[in-house]
Amino acid sequence: MDLDVDGRALAVVSAGGVLGALTRYAAGVAWPHAAGGFPWSTWSVNVSGCFLIGALLTLLGRFRPGHRLTRLFLGTGVLGGYTTFSTAANDVLRAPAPTGLAYLAATVAGALLAVWAGSSLASLGGPADGKPVSGAPTGERLPSGPAGGGAPR
């Protein structure tokens, strides 16, 4: 099997994932939850991670749009390793039904609100003179398919 893998991208995602997973593990050790209890540690990690992802991607889009490896290291790697929705799903299944349903609802609502809050906070302000930030997206569209269009640069 011949895989065309970008070694630098793989390295930064892997390194970031290790840092994020170690941070998540430390939070779980520092703040364990009782069997059948509300898993506050996992919930806090996921919600704070969603807040940081919203802020990070908004800031990178505004101020460093061409820095793919930064996004891969911090977003996909660190914050992807930090958040743990697979553990959240497992916690839902292991909890008594009322706790599991409350946890599921709190996780979904908290995660969505956190991404919105992080992105909204990161969107505030800007350059004092009102001029575009150097290196910020120009609005020029990249070709995508035969009809053109695509995402802004």
Side-chain angles (χ1 to χ4, degrees):
M1 178 187 323
D2 183 27
L3 297 176
D4 184 22
V5 177
D6 179 350
R8 292 184 317 154
L10 181 60
V12 299
V13 169
S14 298
V18 167
L19 294 175
L22 287 173
T23 304
R24 171 178 29 98
Y25 178 76
V29 168
W31 191 9
H33 69 277
F38 194 92
W40 287 107
S41 170
T42 305
W43 184 84
S44 298
V45 162
N46 285 335
V47 171
S48 65
C50 286
F51 176 87
L52 293 171
I53 287 169
L56 173 72
L57 294 181
T58 299
L59 290 171
L60 288 176
R62 285 180 68 193
F63 298 107
R64 303 191 54 92
H67 293 263
R68 179 175 159 264
L69 293 178
T70 302
R71 178 181 46 81
L72 288 173
F73 175 72
L74 293 173
T76 306
V78 174
L79 294 175
Y82 176 66
T83 56
T84 174
F85 286 92
S86 59
T87 300
N90 193 39
D91 288 341
V92 167
L93 295 174
R94 289 184 173 192
T99 303
L101 289 173
Y103 177 56
L104 177 63
T107 297
V108 172
L112 292 173
L113 286 171
V115 168
W116 172 81
S119 181
S120 295
L121 184 64
S123 295
L124 296 176
D129 59 6
K131 294 180 184 172
V133 175
S134 176
T138 62
E140 176 185 340
R141 300 194 80 69
L142 300 173
S144 122
R153 277 189 202 235

